[in-house]
Amino acid sequence: MTAVPVRARVAFRAVLAVGLVCAVAGCADEPEPEAASASWREPDSYMYTLRSSEGRSLIGAFRITVRDGAVVRAVGLDDSGRRVVDDAPDTVPTIGELLGEWRQARRDDADEAEVAYARDGHPERISLDWMENAIDDEALYVISDFEPADG
């Protein structure tokens, strides 16, 4: 057995203790998904950027304007997004509709239904996979540039 000097053991324990405290404190800053979803309320009017990938139905990047709880403007930011806006503009969702899809996936016992929240509580990433080995049943929604309307 190798003898470790007392000073090294004390230093190791101090570093370990600081690491544990930082890890616990860091976790305390992140809200639990249920707590964050319960505290965030979708505003009646806002704008956001959506990047949707995987699956079949809604692929592309969009800048979306919501007024009175409904999408009133959607701009495709890439070829796929422009195609969706031209061919099926009613499929462009509000953030509330995306969260509704996540809730439905949870109720349906999907293999994956995860949501990550920003510090202000709005969702930033929703990942869904209804059946682990199925093809094209996944959805990944990344929400950015969220701007609630003034007033």
Side-chain angles (χ1 to χ4, degrees):
M1 179 159 88
T2 305
V4 178
V6 172
R7 185 176 290 168
R9 284 188 299 214
V10 169
F12 173 77
R13 287 182 183 151
V15 168
L16 183 61
V18 168
L20 287 171
V21 167
C22 290
V24 170
C27 292
D29 289 342
E30 297 300 318
E32 289 297 317
E34 291 300 321
S37 68
S39 66
W40 186 73
R41 298 287 180 244
E42 181 180 21
D44 287 336
S45 300
Y46 57 92
M47 293 175 56
Y48 77 106
T49 299
L50 172 65
R51 296 197 188 290
S52 176
S53 60
E54 301 183 26
R56 291 185 198 183
S57 59
L58 183 68
I59 302 291
F62 310 87
R63 183 67 181 160
I64 300 166
T65 303
V66 174
R67 191 169 300 121
D68 297 324
V71 172
V72 294
R73 184 165 189 249
V75 176
L77 302 177
D78 61 8
D79 288 340
S80 296
R82 284 186 286 277
R83 200 167 19 259
V84 168
V85 169
D86 289 343
D87 297 344
D90 292 341
T91 63
V92 178
T94 65
I95 294 175
E97 290 169 334
L98 294 173
L99 285 171
E101 187 176 348
W102 167 71
R103 284 195 235 17
Q104 185 63 51
R106 292 191 60 189
R107 282 191 298 270
D108 291 346
D109 200 26
D111 280 334
E112 179 182 327
E114 298 175 358
V115 63
Y117 293 90
R119 288 205 176 271
D120 71 357
H122 81 271
E124 331 184 88
R125 180 183 170 96
I126 299 171
S127 179
L128 308 170
D129 187 0
W130 279 264
M131 296 175 61
E132 183 177 10
N133 295 318
I135 297 173
D136 288 341
D137 72 325
E138 304 89 358
L140 177 61
Y141 305 118
V142 178
I143 296 163
S144 61
D145 304 318
F146 174 73
E147 299 173 32
D150 292 335

